[in-house]
Amino acid sequence: MPDTTGALRRRRMTTAWPLCALLLSCLQPTEAALPTRFHQDQSTPPRTGLVGTSMTDVVWSGRYLWVATERGLARWDPAVGNGLSPDDWITYTEANGLGRGSVSALAASGDTVWAATLFDSLGTGLARPPPVGSGLAWSTDGGITWVHITNEALFDTLRTGFGSGPFTAVQNPCFGLSLEGDTVWAAFWSGSTIRSTDFGRTWERVLPGGGHRIVYGPPDVETDLRLLQFEADSLESAGADPAEIAQVRTAADSVALLHLLHRTFSVAAWDDTVWIGTASGVASSFDFGRTWTNHKMRLNDFDEPLPGSLSANWGLAIEREITADGRSLVWIGAGVTEGPGQVAAMNFSEDDGRTWQATGPTFAWDFAFTGGDTIWAGSDAGLLVTPDRGANWFLTEVEDPFTRDVLLPTFVGVERFALADGRVALWAGADNGLGRSVDGGRSWTILSFPLKTRSLDSGEVIGDGGLVDMEGVRTYAAPSPFAPSQGQRCRFVYSLADDARVTIEIYDFASHRVRTLVDGVNRAGASNHGENWDGLDDGGQPVANGVYFFRVETDAGDHAFGNLVVLD
């Protein structure tokens, strides 16, 4: 299986199962012991503002807009503002009751919100530290109070159904959450999917595809594989029906891939229907998880994809669409995992997964349906839109003409909801901010509240809320390193107490000026500002990799210096 840590940290989430007695055993719910419930100190108020720059999910609950970031969980209440000012937002963190780290999964309905969190493990010596799941937190009053349960409590091996682990929270974060009434579904990386039917008081393990135990790797099913292979060889030696032999060998192949089926990444549930995205296809149940069907990319004898099957086997995103005429469609963001012939794409089914249609240039992390045949998709390539239900896809540039901000891939969270005036608001979360459009994506307002600096001229912090650099710096560049050839732009951040004309010059390591980014442009006082650099020099040519220095200066002589790294 390919290394998925980096992609999944950004956060945001069945041809009939072979006829094998081992796999056809139905899921038997077990009553788990009451987990430890840890109430955080509610005396700490949430932070003012949308704290964080990397948006990992966006969810509308019907009352609040919730945004998951690398620093916590932000909430906007439309009753108190239009969402375009930092003062319209508040952000909940570990101090308020969430788990440690960034928010990796999110689900909300009304006043209820659930959030999963993770952090990077330290001291592993690895270039890319594996993520550590830090549990689930939930609030039933819009964030006023929180309850948190740790990964260790959720996967307590002394509880019925959890004796086989996982025995550590390392590499076991939750990437998918879904709410349906009092039932909560949570998809974990190593621990498969778990659910609570009493709103978090008790939990049970759910194994997509059935089975009586979780499988972590091929060695866990070595005995089962040998038995099935022996059975197939015996049938072949006895001259049995080739179809019967093929059925047993297919069962053996499926058993060998159980460890991928138990790596779950996304979940969507409504009524008695449950869809779970795994590393070995997408599993569906229409009886609350008692029986399962596994949907995968299927190949013919020439290793060519069969028409009507999924395009790839990594179920990264699942979304339900209800059309204007009442049809129910399931959309899947399908990425490539083990096995030949797979193509990353978006897939949808109109017949409960019996047949699939693939569309789009890549897979999606999230979907939003804004009416008619228009569908939006957040992806590694950017924000994609189709006006004709997948016949054609277009890349949308999310740029704010007033702040000069541009949102950059990856786009993970996409959400829509109707405003009080009848317009439809579309929200898109990216690696460097949050965008809002109320005119079908033709124009955008970008909310990006980076770390604040002290103003160039007076040294004061401009505006309330957000995070303030405590080192007293007056300018910085982010991201650094940045890769211009991948479409990234580096943003120079500064603030002004009074109106000024601003010049920004960029120099290479030998102190040669390579770019005058802005030259005497008027910028307003009492404001935080940012200027974007595309990595080109004054001649329009890409600069070389290396360290660069820059100077921000006003016409009054106030100035500040910073540095950055270009690394393509």
Side-chain angles (χ1 to χ4, degrees), residues 543-566:
V543 301
N545 287 347
V547 177
Y548 291 81
F549 305 94
F550 66 94
R551 179 177 64 191
V552 183
E553 187 172 12
T554 72
D555 57 327
D558 301 304
H559 60 269
F561 299 90
N563 61 75
L564 68 140
V565 175
V566 174

Side-chain angles (χ1 to χ4, degrees), residues 207-280:
L207 299 178
H212 63 284
R213 74 186 192 279
I214 189 170
V215 175
Y216 294 108
D220 294 341
V221 291
E222 186 175 347
T223 300
D224 301 298
L225 280 174
R226 287 179 177 176
L227 288 173
L228 287 168
Q229 290 164 354
F230 176 77
E231 181 182 355
D233 292 342
S234 298
L235 289 171
E236 190 171 32
S237 299
D241 185 350
E244 183 181 2
I245 299 171
Q247 187 179 70
V248 176
R249 295 202 187 280
T250 299
D253 292 340
S254 298
V255 169
L257 293 175
L258 269 178
H259 68 289
L260 297 179
L261 191 65
H262 293 169
R263 286 189 178 273
T264 59
F265 302 94
S266 55
V267 59
W270 59 91
D271 302 326
D272 287 334
T273 297
V274 187
W275 289 80
I276 298 177
T278 82
S280 185

Side-chain angles (χ1 to χ4, degrees), residues 477 479-484 490 506-510 514 533 535 542-550 562-568:
S480 178
F482 89 109
C490 187
I506 304 168
Y507 299 84
D508 63 18
F509 196 74
V514 297
W533 182 35
V543 301
N545 287 347
V547 177
Y548 291 81
F549 305 94
F550 66 94
N563 61 75
L564 68 140
V565 175
V566 174
L567 185 60
D568 260 328

